[in-house]
């Protein structure tokens, strides 16, 4: 029994192939049909009445042309809910559309079969069969299934199933129109050579790995010589080549996993982040990239951030040691020293008196020294109070030491390598008290521990600020955290307009908060 082929077919209302009589154009899909077996009449079908009266059309001659009777094989042969006609249509659809195109194969079968149903039937009947590639009941003498499900009973069940699914299809909401999928070509992605629809690259790792196995063939059997009982040398060589090929595929998959895990395909986003880094930070990150294969994305980001912070600390320590060697006493003087140093570096080199080319020689400007923003924040003149004084443990240890009675007084000024740079300098005057301008037409809010449970988290000046601006402590702490985090992103500086946008409160209140933070030294005005 061969596979039925039809060049000109149309889809019926129930899906599947629809056969038409070539004389009267009657639908003969579900009935017995007569097919001309002569080579001239390709795909020529007749209904039984037209064949009985000798009707003809085109080049068909019923007197001399042989014919074959084709009837519906609507009987179960492998499973109780699939007929032989559906099995033939499924195999034909797999041959025409390719194995795996289950939606097209389901439309080819018809009878309101779904793609999931067709796939499940193929896997269970053919793939999971103990007689693979043949089904379990492939023996022509096995008629037990047909005896349990006679033709009439099977066709009645099939008709009932089709009617139920037809009614369900009518009651179902209309499906959304199919959108044209984006072509999986390198031009559809920002990374050249990457095909997003296939998750593959135009040139893969070990791109020539398939050339070693593309012409390899395996004969049926296990490759063991029946006389010696050993594996054939040719088969052993083929298995070694397959192992090498599988190892290359594994390496290719591991590299793709790193690319997807660390979002390396987002080229524009990564390039924008990379531009914000200094040259030293970029070089450090490039050296650390091999460790990305051993960690996930979050761990690698934390690792890279720690390396950058260590680099900035080392740079700041080196700068502070240079200031100490040059007798620079405080951070503001150090900032002036760096500015003067950069100015001197940009001056042209002095020329001799007898240098005839001095007037025409073009001196290249010296590029400015690129200092990381994080390092600048560590050596900024206005540091937080916790960095302007040594820790309490250092004070207590110094004051209790009998060998250093002169250091009993608390040391003020920034620390370099554990010692103060300003112990010989006069004590700087304290900052004057910052008076908060009151809001017009608004009475200050009286804050107590009863109506403000987070009042103990604020300093005296912050409590006064919240009282004047009528802001509870918890919202103020949220605003403070947001402003300081945003300022640290740009090296400690923040614009007044940006502060107003971040606070999302009355502009007059956000302005007073911004001025208070400036006076406290928590942020710098840009």
């Amino acid at each position: 029994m061969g596979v039925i082929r039809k060049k000109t077919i149309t889809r019926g209302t129930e899906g599947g192939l629809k056969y038409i009589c070539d004389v009267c154009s009657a639908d003969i899909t579900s009935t017995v049909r007569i097919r001309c077996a002569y080579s001239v009449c390709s795909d020529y079908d007749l209904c039984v009445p037209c064949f009985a009266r000798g009707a003809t059309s085109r080049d068909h001659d019923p007197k001399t042309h042989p014919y074959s009777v084709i009837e519906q094989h609507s009987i179960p042969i492998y499973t109780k809910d699939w007929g032989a006609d559906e099995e033939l249509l499924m195999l034909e659809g797999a041959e025409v559309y390719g194995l795996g195109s289950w939606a097209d194969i389901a439309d080819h079968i018809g009878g309101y079969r779904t793609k999931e149903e067709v796939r499940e039937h193929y896997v269970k009947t053919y793939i999971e069969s103990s007689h693979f590639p043949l089904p379990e009941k492939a023996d022509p003498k096995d008629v037990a299934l047909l005896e349990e499900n006679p033709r009439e009973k099977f066709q009645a069940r099939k008709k009932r199933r089709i009617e139920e699914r037809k009614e369900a299809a009518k009651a179902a909401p209309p499906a959304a129109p199919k959108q044209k999928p984006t072509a999986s070509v390198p031009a559809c992605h920002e990374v050249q050579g990457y095909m997003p629809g296939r998750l593959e690259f135009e040139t893969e790792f070990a791109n020539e790995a398939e050339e070693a196995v593309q012409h390899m063939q395996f004969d049926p059997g296990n490759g063991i010589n029946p006389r010696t009982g050993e594996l054939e040398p040719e088969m052993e060589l083929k298995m070694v080549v397959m192992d090498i090929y599988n190892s290359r595929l594994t390496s290719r998959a591991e590299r793709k996993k790193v690319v997807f895990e660390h979002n390396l395909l987002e080229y524009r986003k990564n390039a924008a982040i990379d531009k914000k880094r200094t040259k030293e930070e970029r070089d450090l990150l490039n050296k650390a990239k091999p460790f990305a294969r051993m960690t996930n994305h979050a761990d690698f980001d934390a690792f890279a951030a720690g390396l950058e912070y260590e680099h900035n600390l080392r740079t700041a320590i080196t700068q502070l040691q240079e200031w100490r060697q040059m007798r620079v006493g405080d951070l503001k003087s150090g900032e002036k020293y760096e500015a003067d140093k950069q100015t001197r570096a940009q001056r042209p080199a002095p020329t001799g008196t007898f240098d005839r080319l001095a007037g025409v020689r073009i001196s290249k400007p010296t590029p400015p020294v690129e200092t990381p923003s994080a390092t600048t924040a560590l050596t900024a003149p206005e540091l937080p109070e916790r960095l302007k004084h040594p820790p309490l443990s250092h004070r207590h240890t110094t004051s209790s030491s009998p060998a250093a009675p002169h250091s009993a007084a608390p040391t003020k000024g920034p620390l370099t390598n554990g010692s103060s740079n300003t112990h010989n300098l006069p004590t700087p005057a304290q900052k004057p008290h910052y008076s908060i301008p009151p809001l017009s037409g608004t009475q200050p809010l009286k804050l107590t521990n009863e109506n403000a449970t987070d009042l103990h988290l604020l300093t005296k000046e912050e409590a006064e600020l919240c009282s004047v601006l009528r802001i509870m402590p918890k919202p103020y702490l949220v605003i403070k955290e947001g402003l300081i985090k945003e300022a640290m992103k740009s090296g400690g500086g923040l614009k007044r307009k940006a502060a107003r946008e971040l606070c999302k409160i009355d502009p007059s209140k956000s302005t007073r908060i911004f001025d208070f933070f400036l006076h406290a030294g928590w942020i710098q005005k840009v």
Side-chain angles (χ1 to χ4, degrees), residues 95-108:
E95 182 180 0
V96 173
Y97 301 107
L99 194 60
S101 303
W102 303 114
D104 295 332
I105 296 174
D107 292 339
H108 189 80

Side-chain angles (χ1 to χ4, degrees), residues 111-114 117 161-169:
Y112 291 97
R113 293 286 187 185
T114 62
E117 188 178 8
R161 173 178 57 82
I162 293 176
E163 290 177 354
E164 290 175 357
R165 296 192 180 184
K166 183 187 296 185
E167 293 297 330

